[in-house]
Amino acid sequence: MFKVLSVLVHEHDFRLSMLAVVVCLCASLTAFRLYSRMTGARGLVRGAWLLLTSLVAGSGVWAAHFLAMLAYTPGLNTGFSSTGTIASLMVAVAFMGGGFYASILVDDERSNQIAGGLLIGIGISAMHYTGMSAFVTEGRIEWEPAIIAASVILGIAGATGSLMLVGRGRRLWQQASAGVIFALGVSAMHYTGMGAITIVPDASVVVPAKLMSVGVMTFAVASITGLIILGGLGAMLIESQTTRSALERIRTLANAAYEGIVVIQNGKINDANSAFCELAGAPLADLVGRPLLSGILTFDDELQAADERREAHLQPVGEATSIPVEVFSRLMDDGARVETSGLTVLAIRDLRERRSAEEKIRYLAEHDGLTGLPNRHALQRRLAAALDRVEASGESLSVVCIDLDHFKEANDLHGHVAGDQVLVEAARRLQATISGPSFAARLGGDEFVVVQITDQDQPGAAAELAGQLLETLNSATVFEGQDLAMGASLGVSLYPDDGRTAEALLTNADMALYRAKDSGRGAYRFFKREMDESIRERRSLARELRQAIADEDLIVHYQPLARASDGEVCGFEALVRWKHAVRGMIPPLDFIPVAEESGLIAPLGEWVLRRACADAAAWDKPLRIAVNLSPLQLNNPALPTLVHEVLIQTGLSPSRLELEITESALFKDYQRALDNLRRLKALGVRIAMDDFGTGFSSLSTLQSFPFDKIKVDKSFVENIHRDERATVIVRAVLGLGRSLNIPVVAEGVETDEQREFLRGEHCAELQGYAIGRPAPAETLGVWTAGEPPVEVKVRARTASKSAESKTPARRTRAA
Ligand code: C2E
Ligand code: CA
Ligand code: CA
C-alpha cells in the first residue's frame, strides 16, 4: 500500500495524473449512460449501443492509462513502442465489448453481471499490462507478482461492482454511481499495477526517439477520447430527440382518438390520452402513477391472455357509478427502445351507448309494442323461470289463457284504432288485477296469458283470479264517445296437475279456453283430461286442413239445379270436398266446422269462390253458379271487394253468381251482414237464403232483405208424403215465396214423387239426387256444353240419373 502511494506521489506528474482521472471518469459516466440505452434496446439497435458503449469505455480506459503513463516520471528517459500501445487499445475495446455483452445476456441476472465484470476487469488489466509492455525506459523492469495479482483483483472488483450497481441502468443515479465505481476500479488497478514494478537502471537499454512531445501526445489522446465520448453523447441526444418527437406525434394522434387510451407500466398509469382522462374523471397529472387495475378498472371476468378484447368496469374518480367498457390491451414493445419495453397499452371503449341500445333492442324483442306486456317469446322464458321458482319455493302456479270476445267487432266496426284501444285497455285491466310475482303477457291478436304465482291453495286461487279477470274484462270501454263492448273467455291450467312444463301448461290452458269459447263465451273453464283427446284431434285436423288449402288438395264438385217446369238444368251449386291422402274423400260437414273454428274458412271460402267462378266462366252455357258462404265470410267487411275482384279476374258475369247464406250467418252481426249483402247485391250478384225453415224468425229475415231465392231445407223435402207437418211447411214456404215474389228451390229431391209434388205446388227449381249428384267439373259437359251432336247428348243423358228421363226437357231435346 505504501509503495503504491509513494509511486503516485513521487513518480507522477500531478496535473497529467489528474487529467487521466478526469478522462477516465468522463468515459465511465458516458459509457454507463450508453449502457442503459443498450439494456433497453433489442436486436441490431442493441448491437449498435453495445459497440458505442465498448468504444467509449475501452478508449476512455486506454486513454486514461496512456495519460497516466505520460505522467509517470521515474527519473529516467521513457518511451512507447507503437505496436504495443495500439494493441493495448484494441485489447481494451474488445474486452469491454465482451464483458458488457455478457452482462446483459439475461436481463438482471447476477451471474451474468459477475461474468461481465470478470471479463471487463481482466480486460482492463490486460490492457494495462499490454500497454506496459510497450513502455520502454533506460533500465530493466522487475515485477512483483503479488501486487500484480492485487491490481487485477481491484480491476475486476471495480468492474463487477459497477455492473451490479447499474443493473438495467434506468435511473441516472445508477448510471452515475456505476461510472464512479468503474473509474475508481480502473484507477486503483492502474496505480497498484504501477506499484508492482521496480526499474533497475541499465544504460544499455535504448529508448526509441520520441515522435511527438509529451504535450502533443497528451493533447492528441485527450482530444481523441473526448471526441469519442462526445460522439456517444451525441448519438444519445439524437436518439432521445427523435423518440420525443415520435412520442409527441403519438400523443397528438392518441388525443384525437375517440377511445380512451392508457399506457401502463408495472400496473401503474404511465400516460393516457384526453378521452381516457375524461372517462376517468381526472386530469392526466392526477392519474399518472396510480395503479390502473385496483381502483380504476375492474375486469368482469377472470384474467386471460393479453391482446384480447375484454369487458370491464371503469370507476371514474369521485363518482358513484362505474362505466361499462370494452378493453383491448396490447403489449407496446417495438423491440428497440427502452421507452417502450414492457409497456402495455389499453384502448378503452365506452360501452354505455351500446349497452343502452342493446337494452332497447332486448326490450323490443321481449315486449309487445302496443300494450307493453311481455310477448310470446318472453312468456316462454318467464314461465319457465316461474316454474323453477315454485318448484323451489312450494308456491302454487296457474296459467290462464284469455281470449277477448268482442275484439274483432271493435276492430271491424270502428277501425284499428278502436281495436288497439280495446287491447291496451284489456292489458291495463289485467295488470291492475294481478300483483307480483304473477304477471301478464300478450300472445298476439286478442290473446293474453296470465301466470299466477301465489302461496294460496289451488284450484281455489285460480278460480278466484279467473272470476276477477272475467269481471274486470266484462265492462265496456269508451272510444270516441261510443261504448266498445268488452268481454273474455278464459281457460285455466294448474301446475303440476295439468302439466309440468311451460309448453304443456300453455297448451292445456288453451284447450280449456277453447272449451270456454265453445260453451258460449264469457266464462272460464279449468282444463280436464278428457278435453285433451277431442280437441287434439280437431287441432290436428285444422293443421292438416291448412296444409291441404296450401297444397290445393281440395276440389269442388258441382250439383245441378233444374227448373221444375221443364227439367232444364239452369245452374249448379259448388260443394267443396277434401281429397285426403289417408282418409280419402272427406265430406264438407266433417271439416267446415273445423275451418270455421280455426279461421281457415276465410282462405278456404276464397279458394272455392275463385275455383267455382273460374269453372263456371269456362262453360259454354251461361248457367248460374251457387257458392256457399260461411257466417264468418259474411261478417268480413272485405267480402264484397273480394267477390268483385274474383268476378273481374274470372270474367264471370255477376248475374250468374249466386251466394247462399244461412239465417245463422245473418244473426251473428245483423247490421254488418246486411251491409255486406247490400254491397254484394249492388255488384249484381244474387243472394239465396239457404236451409230455409231450420232457423228461428224466418219471416222477418225474409222481409229484412230482398233475397233472390229461398232454398227449402232438405229435411222438409225428404219428409213430403211421410210427415204431414213437413208437407204443410213446404207448402207454406212455397206460398210465402209467392207472396214475397221470391222463387223457391227445393233441396234434397230424391224421388219422382217428391218432384211431381213440388212441380204441382209451383216450386221454381229442384235440387237433389233425382236431378243429379254433386260431380267433378270435368263431368258436367253434358249440361254445360253448347250444342253437341244429338247421339252424344242422348247417351250422356241415359248415363245420368234415370229419375230424370221423363222430364219435359228430355222429351223436347230428343224430339
Ligand atoms: P248445403 O249447402 O245444404 O248443400 C247441400 C248438401 O246436400 C250437400 O252436401 C249435397 O251433397 C247434399 N245433397 C244434395 N242432394 C241431395 C239429396 O238428394 N239427398 C241428400 N241426402 N243429400 C243431398 P255436402 O256436399 O255434404 O255439403 C254439406 C254442407 O257443407 C252444405 O250444405 C254446405 O252448408 C256446406 N258446404 C259445402 N261446400 C261448401 C263451401 O264451399 N263453403 C261453405 N261455406 N260451406 C260449404
Ligand atoms: Ca247450399
Ligand atoms: Ca242447403
Side-chain angles (χ1 to χ4, degrees), residues 573 628 660 662 690-692 711-714 747 767:
E573 178 175 2
N628 292 287
E660 299 190 0
T662 57
D690 203 356
D691 299 346
F692 192 76
K711 297 183 83 170
V712 187
D713 193 66
K714 56 179 178 285
E747 296 186 300
Q767 182 182 0

Side-chain angles (χ1 to χ4, degrees), residues 108-158:
D108 258 351
E109 263 303 321
R110 280 273 172 265
S111 59
N112 281 327
Q113 289 163 351
I114 291 167
L118 210 64
L119 262 176
I120 291 171
I122 291 171
I124 296 168
S125 311
M127 183 279 299
H128 179 86
Y129 291 104
T130 315
M132 286 306 292
S133 71
F135 178 72
V136 189
T137 186
E138 296 165 318
R140 265 182 305 106
I141 300 176
E142 282 177 359
W143 302 86
E144 219 166 295
I147 301 180
I148 292 176
S151 76
V152 173
I153 287 167
L154 281 171
I156 291 173

Side-chain angles (χ1 to χ4, degrees), residues 10 55 59 126 181 211 217 224 227 243 252 302 343 376 391 504 528 542 546 618 621 624 689 748:
H10 300 296
L55 264 179
S59 66
I181 298 289
L211 291 173
M217 271 201 279
I224 288 170
L227 283 178
T243 305
T252 313
E302 288 295 300
L343 291 184
R376 180 185 293 272
E391 178 78 38
K528 300 238 160 41
R546 184 184 308 275
K621 292 189 185 168
R624 278 202 295 270
M689 162 96 336

Side-chain angles (χ1 to χ4, degrees), residues 534-618:
S534 72
I535 293 176
R536 214 180 280 286
E537 195 164 324
R538 279 158 91 176
R539 287 277 156 96
S540 93
L541 195 67
R543 235 189 338 268
E544 281 185 77
L545 180 59
R546 184 184 308 275
Q547 195 57 42
I549 296 169
D551 296 350
E552 304 216 345
D553 280 343
L554 303 174
I555 52 165
V556 178
H557 279 188
Y558 298 92
Q559 185 176 33
L561 283 88
R563 264 199 305 270
S565 55
D566 58 3
E568 188 75 36
V569 168
C570 53
F572 293 88
E573 178 175 2
L575 295 162
V576 68
R577 274 104 185 79
W578 178 1
K579 249 184 345 185
H580 193 277
V582 183
R583 302 191 215 181
M585 199 68 89
I586 306 181
L589 288 177
D590 286 2
F591 65 87
I592 294 285
V594 173
E596 291 194 334
E597 273 165 14
S598 57
L600 285 171
I601 193 69
L604 187 149
E606 182 179 335
W607 182 84
V608 172
L609 180 71
R610 283 183 195 281
R611 183 79 261 141
C613 290
D615 282 346

Side-chain angles (χ1 to χ4, degrees), residues 34-47:
L34 291 167
Y35 181 84
S36 75
R37 292 297 156 115
M38 176 184 69
T39 58
R42 308 284 145 82
L44 215 61
V45 181
R46 175 174 267 203

Side-chain angles (χ1 to χ4, degrees), residues 677-754:
L677 285 180
R678 290 205 185 94
R679 287 165 64 199
L680 286 167
K681 192 127 191 190
L683 292 175
V685 170
R686 296 161 57 88
I687 310 290
M689 162 96 336
D690 203 356
D691 299 346
F692 192 76
T694 57
F696 340 73
S697 53
S698 302
L699 185 63
S700 67
T701 313
L702 285 178
Q703 285 173 324
S704 66
F705 183 78
F707 286 96
D708 298 293
K709 189 183 264 183
I710 297 170
K711 297 183 83 170
V712 187
D713 193 66
K714 56 179 178 285
S715 59
F716 303 110
V717 175
E718 72 187 7
N719 285 322
I720 292 173
H721 299 308
R722 277 193 241 160
D723 178 348
E724 191 57 35
R725 274 186 52 235
T727 318
V728 170
I729 288 174
V730 171
R731 272 209 184 96
V733 174
L734 287 166
L736 190 66
R738 265 197 305 279
S739 70
L740 289 170
N741 206 15
I742 305 173
V744 176
V745 183
E747 296 186 300
V749 182
E750 292 185 355
T751 64
D752 285 354
E753 224 181 347
Q754 290 162 353

